[in-house]
Amino acid sequence: MVIVIDKNSDKKTIEASLKKIQVGKKKFKLSDFAGKLKGVFGDGVDFQKKIRNEWD
């Protein structure tokens, strides 16, 4: 989307046009994704040791 700001635009017009862009966007937090695979791999440390065990 393109916003055209003229030299004579006032602050209200600029803020209103910027709000049009931000309507559909949602900020994601890390907590939205934390724990999604809980129970699939068991304990995280044991899983990492099993996967990264290069000497066995």
Side-chain angles (χ1 to χ4, degrees):
M1 178 178 232
V2 177
I3 297 177
V4 178
I5 300 175
D6 296 330
K7 186 165 65 171
N8 299 327
S9 298
D10 61 340
K11 187 175 179 180
K12 284 186 178 182
T13 309
I14 295 170
E15 288 177 354
S17 58
L18 288 175
K19 282 185 181 180
K20 287 181 186 178
I21 291 176
Q22 297 174 352
V23 168
K25 293 187 178 182
K26 177 188 174 193
K27 285 193 170 184
F28 292 104
K29 298 177 281 186
L30 185 60
S31 63
D32 292 339
F33 300 101
K36 293 293 180 181
L37 297 175
K38 190 176 281 186
V40 175
F41 298 110
D43 185 33
V45 176
D46 291 335
F47 177 73
Q48 286 291 322
K49 285 180 182 178
K50 185 172 62 175
I51 293 297
R52 297 178 186 262
N53 194 357
E54 299 171 357
W55 300 104
D56 285 342

